Amino acid sequence: SLAAITYWLLGYSFAFGTERYIYQSPGMDNRFIGAGNWALQNYNNDTDYHSFFFQWAFAGAAATIVSGCVAERCRLEAYFVYTIALTTFIYPVVAHWVWSSTGWMSAFYVDGDGNRYLKENGVLDFAGSGVVHMTGGFAGLIGAVAIGPRKYFNDPENEHKLKGSSDLLAALGVIILWMGWYGFNAGSTLGAGSGDGTYINLAAKVCVTTTIAAA
């Protein structure tokens, strides 16, 4: 819920700004960060909102990655503060670099002469392996290093006090993630209802690949 509010107010604007290309006068948007459409104020067409919803799910996923890295060693209040920082600024800036039309690493970046900032392709990230998981993973690593191991970990005299994991909850987590990734991965075709069936066929292929990879 925190990610939804912060990403709606500021994060989505930092990530995608006005959603215009360099040659379309993108206002204050630049190669580092977006700056427009605060709280979706520019959205007057019902067909625009799917982009925010999809990208918010990615922002929320980046925030949840850290929870496993600091499990049982971090106060809930600290996790709230971290979530606000990550979904308001840190993740949106990285998303802007790679996925916006003005980001310096973006494959969508095109200037008035048709040139890309990173020559041929820019950075291609189909479903967030770098933007989402690398950002969340590095944040989790920093958190884990800062907090340190769980109490009694590697302490022979007290290791028996550490509670084991729940097999039921672990299995439930795998099922939830597995089903969720069909939305993330197949949805990253960004055009299931267009392209004369080309995109929906690609989405189906992505679903099969996701199934085999998870199995």
Side-chain angles (χ1 to χ4, degrees):
S1 60
L2 282 175
I5 298 300
T6 58
Y7 199 67
W8 166 64
L9 285 174
L10 299 171
Y12 188 74
S13 300
F14 288 149
F16 296 97
T18 59
E19 300 183 63
R20 300 191 190 118
Y21 291 95
I22 291 295
Y23 58 84
Q24 294 176 320
S25 301
M28 297 294 292
D29 292 2
N30 56 53
R31 296 189 184 102
F32 179 78
I33 195 171
N37 194 24
W38 309 107
L40 307 183
Q41 62 180 347
N42 295 346
Y43 277 6
N44 298 314
N45 191 323
D46 289 344
T47 61
D48 293 330
Y49 290 95
H50 68 281
S51 177
F52 166 80
F53 181 76
F54 187 62
Q55 294 298 334
W56 158 74
F58 276 120
T64 59
I65 289 172
V66 178
S67 63
C69 300
V70 297
E72 302 181 8
R73 307 187 307 284
C74 176
R75 292 179 62 87
L76 185 61
E77 296 89 338
Y79 185 70
F80 285 164
V81 172
Y82 148 79
T83 298
I84 291 172
L86 189 75
T87 58
T88 301
F89 185 76
I90 300 172
Y91 169 81
V93 168
V94 178
H96 179 80
W97 292 349
V98 180
W99 281 339
S100 78
S101 53
T102 55
W104 68 276
M105 297 173 67
S106 177
F108 306 108
Y109 179 99
V110 180
D111 63 18
D113 298 322
N115 299 317
R116 302 185 187 281
Y117 191 69
L118 288 184
K119 305 302 180 183
E120 298 297 330
N121 293 320
V123 174
L124 301 174
D125 187 335
F126 178 72
S129 60
V131 175
V132 180
H133 289 88
M134 185 180 69
T135 302
F138 271 112
L141 175 62
I142 292 171
V145 171
I147 295 175
R150 289 190 295 172
K151 186 178 181 181
Y152 303 136
F153 182 80
N154 218 13
D155 181 357
E157 295 183 0
N158 295 293
E159 279 184 334
H160 65 279
K161 296 180 181 179
L162 292 172
K163 295 181 179 180
S165 301
S166 168
D167 293 340
L168 177 61
L169 291 179
L172 181 61
V174 170
I175 293 172
I176 293 173
L177 281 172
W178 194 340
M179 294 300 104
W181 287 124
Y182 287 119
F184 272 128
N185 295 350
S188 291
T189 57
L190 301 179
S194 59
D196 297 325
T198 302
Y199 291 110
I200 196 63
N201 291 335
L202 177 59
K205 182 178 181 181
V206 171
C207 285
V208 173
T209 303
T210 300
T211 301
I212 295 172

